[in-house]
Amino acid sequence: MAIENNIWKLAEMHISGEMTEVERIALEMRLQNDPIFAAELQECINMLRSLNGSARQKRFRSMLHDIHHEQGRAAATKEPRTISLRTHYRRIAAVAAGIMLLASTGTFWAVNTTTSKSVSQYTKLRKEVDNLKRSQIEQGAIIKDIKSTTEKAANTPAIEARISGTGFAITNDGYFVTNYHVTEGADSIYIKDNTGKYYKAYLVNYDAQTDIALLKVENKSFRFGKGEIPYSFAPKKAALGSYIYTLGYPGEDIAYNEGYISSRNGYQGDSLQYRLELPSRQGQSGAPVIDNKGNLIAIVSGKETQSKGTTYAVSSMALLKLLQDVPREVRMNLPKANKLSRLSREEQIEKMQSYTFSVKVYK
Amino acid sequence: MQSPINIEQQLLADLARGDRKATEQVYKQYYKMVTAWIQQNGGSEADAADVYQEAVTILFEKAQSEDFRLTCKLSTYLFAVGKHLWYKKVQQLQKRPGALPENFEDEGGDVAYEDDINSHHERELHYANLDSALGQLGEPCRSLLKAFYQQDKSMQEIAAEFGYTNPENAKTQKYKCLTRLRKIFYGVQANGN
């Protein structure tokens, strides 16, 4: 047994390097003369190294776990995902000569504040319309244009919008919703319905974090359509793989797109978002995402920068929460009945059209 | 004035010692970059965190060897290793066909990462065998060896805890336990191979 103990002692000393010169030479002599002992010692040394290595790795792993959880806690108490910092670039595309303005689409890169170094993969879907230099001729043309539309709407804005997005009605008497990033920094906000009429609106409430803004059309006698809003708001999260569609305004005309829920969590695992396989373009920010039964399940808010078909949408739960948080004096009668559930998709879209419109923002 | 690579080399040396601050810095700095990629490629948040921790552990193990020098940025290393780990995991789960995406061999020198991952897996197997050998060890040996190696307790503390009259006696007991462990461990390994 003493020999057994001795070999471990030697192995430990060998690893720690605590050996006098005399001991070391004696050991080496012995190792040369006794290959069986040498092999045994090597085995002991290897096992001790493994024990140490395994323990070191365990400690490191548990430290990583600890760091991870601390980070999670820190993130939970701070703001999980704030999109505020952005740099933008614009690409100016010349549109045909004549009366129309130069149009430019800007892509906004939102950078997560908690990861200042990594480039975000998230692109907001508002559309920037440039109002650069305008010649007299162009202005004249606009004035003419305004004159022709004033019969239809009393207060058409005099200049071209800077930002355009999509909005949809919450109540028939003028409350509607779009993305907060569409309205951010606005001087004035108008909606333009599918007949081309403009109506001035103001911001009622918003949540920058979930990127939802609640607005209201100023005109008190305004109504979106003939009856109450035909869709209702999904009170819980829709299932993975649900087929969905959206109506939005990437251009001046309403556009239809369809897809499915590809993940129940959105950008970077955000549980208040969905990830959708749904083609989307600038200008569709704020567009309603509707399921087969005519429930509003989400609001288009951004897309994955690198891919074509991946769109992120804020869930109806985030919207309902914002609606609950509005000031007391705001009285909203939310739609209770869903009038779309039995209709075919074409009929649903037909009904939806008066409640979905373009949001124009001026700065 | 230190060059960025020297700063990273120093950071890595601290991480290799198990220094909490350095580890935290590295961990947090590249967390989003790697996990965001994994989540975009079909992983859940938990999957992404697991893979990332595995990648950092591989870096830790790699940094243990004294002649280890960074040949690329830490970000590049962690990203490449995380990516490989994720592809392997996906293949194992057979969520997708076995083939890697076409642009997989993008950064060159990927073979080196592959080697690191393979030797990491070998090491994991080795450690798992050691753990199972420890598990087969009777008491008080198992607790005693765990106390010394994993909980980093001194022989003094162990003697007190396990009721030996002095540290020297505890040490003798430890050697006995090591001898038993060695028999089981190399037995396990022989069976394992």
Side-chain angles (χ1 to χ4, degrees):
Chain A
M1 198 45 90
I3 302 163
E4 285 284 5
N5 289 352
N6 196 29
I7 202 169
W8 289 112
K9 226 172 242 173
L10 281 172
E12 280 181 342
M13 281 159 84
H14 186 267
I15 289 172
S16 63
E18 294 163 357
M19 222 181 252
T20 64
E21 197 57 23
V22 181
E23 282 171 328
R24 199 181 55 79
I25 291 165
L27 178 63
E28 264 172 26
M29 294 261 292
R30 191 174 166 195
L31 289 176
Q32 271 178 3
N33 295 331
D34 189 348
I36 295 171
F37 171 73
E40 287 206 349
L41 182 66
Q42 193 55 53
E43 209 175 83
C44 291
I45 291 171
N46 286 348
M47 199 182 84
L48 288 182
R49 284 213 169 112
S50 297
L51 273 170
N52 285 324
S54 168
R56 191 177 53 214
Q57 200 201 65
K58 277 200 179 76
R59 279 195 291 273
F60 186 75
R61 278 182 192 274
S62 78
M63 182 166 76
L64 283 188
H65 270 285
D66 203 41
I67 291 172
H68 181 76
H69 286 293
E70 212 165 69
Q71 176 184 278
R73 273 200 300 278
T77 49
K78 273 191 246 156
E79 296 178 342
R81 189 181 62 81
T82 319
I83 303 167
S84 56
L85 176 66
R86 66 185 125 84
T87 54
H88 68 274
Y89 64 88
R90 36 179 83 166
R91 197 179 296 152
I92 299 176
V95 175
I99 55 166
M100 285 320 291
L101 302 169
L102 293 170
S104 81
T105 41
T107 305
F108 281 75
W109 295 78
V111 175
N112 196 319
T113 49
T114 54
T115 52
S116 52
K117 297 238 165 102
S118 74
V119 178
S120 173
Q121 313 281 340
Y122 193 88
T123 307
K124 293 172 177 176
L125 288 174
R126 70 184 182 191
K127 184 171 152 194
E128 236 197 336
V129 188
D130 207 0
N131 60 347
L132 291 173
K133 314 164 216 166
R134 248 181 247 151
S135 68
Q136 295 280 344
I137 302 162
E138 283 170 334
Q139 281 185 350
I142 289 162
I143 292 163
K144 238 187 277 170
D145 195 38
I146 292 164
K147 274 180 185 159
S148 65
T149 51
T150 36
E151 288 130 30
K152 288 187 265 172
N155 46 4
T156 307
I159 52 164
E160 196 66 23
R162 287 292 302 273
I163 304 284
S164 104
T166 301
F168 60 92
I170 294 287
T171 66
N172 195 29
D173 60 357
Y175 284 101
F176 69 97
V177 160
T178 186
N179 278 140
Y180 172 65
H181 75 254
V182 172
T183 63
E184 202 178 1
D187 278 344
S188 56
I189 303 166
Y190 287 80
I191 63 166
K192 184 188 175 195
D193 69 12
N194 62 349
T195 62
K197 291 180 198 163
Y198 282 86
Y199 300 97
K200 198 166 194 306
Y202 61 91
L203 195 62
V204 177
N205 197 6
Y206 68 88
D207 182 354
Q209 221 176 89
T210 52
D211 201 9
I212 307 175
L214 173 68
L215 300 96
K216 188 175 188 304
V217 175
E218 270 185 2
N219 187 339
K220 287 209 167 68
S221 57
F222 173 84
R223 297 288 179 271
F224 284 109
K226 286 186 189 124
E228 275 310 310
I229 313 299
Y231 40 85
S232 57
F233 306 109
K236 58 182 179 104
K237 255 190 150 178
L240 189 65
S242 304
Y243 286 103
I244 44 97
Y245 69 92
T246 183
L247 293 170
Y249 285 84
E252 290 307 301
D253 290 313
I254 193 163
Y256 167 84
N257 275 311
E258 61 181 356
Y260 54 88
I261 296 175
S262 60
S263 169
R264 295 184 80 215
N265 287 336
Y267 186 63
Q268 295 184 341
D270 188 338
S271 63
L272 284 175
Q273 283 190 343
Y274 294 99
R275 191 175 73 198
L276 311 172
E277 275 318 300
L278 174 79
S280 55
R281 290 168 55 195
Q282 253 81 34
Q284 275 178 307
S285 253
V289 178
I290 311 280
D291 71 8
N292 270 339
K293 298 262 169 68
N295 293 305
L296 184 127
I297 62 152
I299 307 161
V300 170
S301 62
K303 66 183 286 193
E304 199 170 286
T305 309
Q306 287 170 346
S307 81
K308 273 183 187 161
T310 303
T311 298
Y312 295 104
V314 197
S315 76
S316 52
M317 270 72 71
L319 171 62
L320 290 171
K321 190 175 174 302
L322 179 78
L323 296 182
Q324 278 167 9
D325 289 343
V326 295
R328 282 278 169 82
E329 55 272 23
V330 177
R331 297 183 127 230
M332 278 189 297
N333 296 314
L334 290 182
K336 288 179 188 74
N338 185 332
K339 299 176 195 160
L340 299 176
S341 56
R342 287 163 195 274
L343 301 182
S344 72
R345 185 162 288 193
E346 289 82 348
E347 290 166 327
Q348 288 185 2
I349 293 164
E350 180 66 35
K351 287 247 180 205
M352 286 285 298
Q353 282 195 23
S354 355
Y355 303 96
T356 314
F357 38 80
S358 180
V359 178
K360 306 282 188 192
V361 173
Y362 303 84
K363 290 183 180 177
Chain B
M1 185 75 186
Q2 281 187 306
S3 72
I5 197 103
N6 282 339
I7 293 170
E8 290 207 327
Q9 192 74 52
Q10 182 56 46
L11 201 58
L12 198 54
D14 292 342
L15 178 134
R17 283 191 292 110
D19 178 67
R20 166 118 189 177
K21 218 176 124 211
T23 309
E24 212 168 304
Q25 193 183 336
V26 171
Y27 190 85
K28 286 181 179 165
Q29 195 157 353
Y30 306 112
Y31 179 82
K32 279 273 152 63
M33 177 187 78
V34 178
T35 55
W37 185 87
I38 291 166
Q39 287 184 43
Q40 275 164 29
N41 286 276
S44 69
E45 201 177 340
D47 288 337
D50 282 353
V51 168
Y52 182 63
Q53 286 183 18
E54 203 66 24
V56 178
T57 308
I58 290 176
L59 180 72
F60 169 75
E61 291 288 357
K62 182 126 172 111
Q64 295 301 317
S65 84
E66 281 170 13
D67 53 352
F68 175 64
R69 288 283 172 277
L70 266 184
T71 51
C72 62
K73 282 196 201 157
L74 277 179
S75 57
T76 314
Y77 187 85
L78 286 173
F79 191 75
V81 170
K83 213 161 91 173
H84 276 250
L85 283 172
W86 178 241
Y87 280 137
K88 288 209 162 159
K89 202 166 179 176
V90 168
Q91 280 174 5
Q92 273 171 10
L93 297 172
Q94 295 190 324
K95 277 181 189 161
R96 287 186 204 164
L100 299 174
E102 278 175 17
N103 58 352
F104 191 60
E105 296 293 334
D106 44 5
E107 279 139 33
D110 266 10
V111 183
Y113 305 130
E114 195 83 42
D115 286 349
D116 286 357
I117 292 172
N118 287 338
S119 60
H120 175 69
H121 285 313
E122 274 171 33
R123 187 166 39 234
E124 292 303 290
L125 187 67
H126 186 73
Y127 287 165
N129 284 340
L130 186 63
D131 274 351
S132 107
L134 265 171
Q136 291 170 44
L137 210 57
E139 292 295 359
C141 274
R142 184 178 12 181
S143 302
L144 194 150
L145 291 183
K146 279 192 173 168
F148 184 75
Y149 287 100
Q150 291 175 12
Q151 292 151 23
D152 231 359
K153 288 186 178 161
S154 69
M155 287 324 289
Q156 195 88 45
E157 287 171 287
I158 289 171
E161 193 176 315
F162 290 85
Y164 297 103
T165 44
N166 58 49
E168 207 49 48
N169 280 353
K171 212 166 183 176
T172 310
Q173 183 60 39
K174 187 187 85 180
Y175 290 145
K176 274 186 200 162
C177 294
L178 282 174
T179 303
R180 262 183 233 163
L181 179 68
R182 182 183 153 199
K183 278 193 189 120
I184 301 170
F185 179 49
Y186 286 101
V188 168
Q189 269 218 319
N191 293 339
N193 291 337

